[in-house]
Amino acid sequence: SSSRGNRKSGNEGEAGDARSEVEAMEGETMSLEEILKDQELLVVFANFLTDRHMEEMLELYLHVEEYEQGGDDAARRKWLKYIWRTYLSEGAPRKANLSQVDVDAIIKYAESGKELPSTLLGNI
C-alpha cells in the first residue's frame, strides 16, 4: 500500500513540491510501468525529472513506446525519424543523456525491426 493519499493532484506544484512528494514516497518501490499507469504518479515523476533537467528521458521513453506499438512501415519510419531528430542525433533539441553504446543499440534494433530489449529501455 502506498502513502499517495496525501499528494496533490493535477499539475499543481513547483519543483519543490515534486521533491517533497518524492521524498515522502522514499522507501516505496514502484516499477516504471506502475508510474506510467497512474496519472498522479506520472505528474510527480515528470516534475521530479524536470527538477533535475532530465524530462527528455521520460519523453524519449514514451515516444519509443509509441514507435514499438507499430503501425505500418511508414508510421514506424516517421516515429523513428522523429525520435532520431529530437533525442538522439548530434544537436538534437531534446538530446537525451545516453551513451553512444545505447544510441548505437537503439539504431541497430530500429533497423532490424525488432522491439527494443527491456534492458536497453531501462537506460532510457
Side-chain angles (χ1 to χ4, degrees), residues 65-76:
E65 289 284 311
E66 290 284 334
Y67 166 80
E68 287 188 344
Q69 289 179 9
D72 60 22
D73 286 343
R76 289 177 61 91

Side-chain angles (χ1 to χ4, degrees), residues 105-119:
I106 291 169
I107 294 168
K108 175 184 169 188
Y109 280 94
E111 289 173 345
S112 73
K114 298 177 186 173
E115 281 191 16
L116 294 173
S118 60
T119 54

Side-chain angles (χ1 to χ4, degrees), residues 29-73:
T29 302
M30 304 183 124
S31 69
L32 182 57
E33 289 78 21
E34 289 174 304
I35 292 170
L36 294 175
K37 289 178 184 176
D38 184 315
Q39 188 61 38
E40 203 173 317
L41 282 174
L42 183 57
V43 169
V44 171
F45 185 55
N47 287 336
F48 175 81
L49 291 174
T50 299
D51 190 35
R52 283 150 184 79
H53 308 285
M54 296 175 58
E55 64 272 11
E56 72 281 351
M57 298 303 283
L58 177 59
E59 294 167 7
L60 172 58
Y61 182 87
L62 295 173
H63 285 131
V64 168
E65 289 284 311
E66 290 284 334
Y67 166 80
E68 287 188 344
Q69 289 179 9
D72 60 22
D73 286 343

Side-chain angles (χ1 to χ4, degrees), residues 66-67 70-82:
E66 290 284 334
Y67 166 80
D72 60 22
D73 286 343
R76 289 177 61 91
R77 279 193 303 273
K78 183 178 177 181
W79 270 114
L80 186 58
K81 185 183 281 189
Y82 176 81

Side-chain angles (χ1 to χ4, degrees), residues 70-96:
D72 60 22
D73 286 343
R76 289 177 61 91
R77 279 193 303 273
K78 183 178 177 181
W79 270 114
L80 186 58
K81 185 183 281 189
Y82 176 81
I83 290 167
W84 175 256
R85 288 182 178 168
T86 306
Y87 303 105
L88 304 175
S89 66
E90 281 301 313
R94 307 283 296 154
K95 181 77 170 155

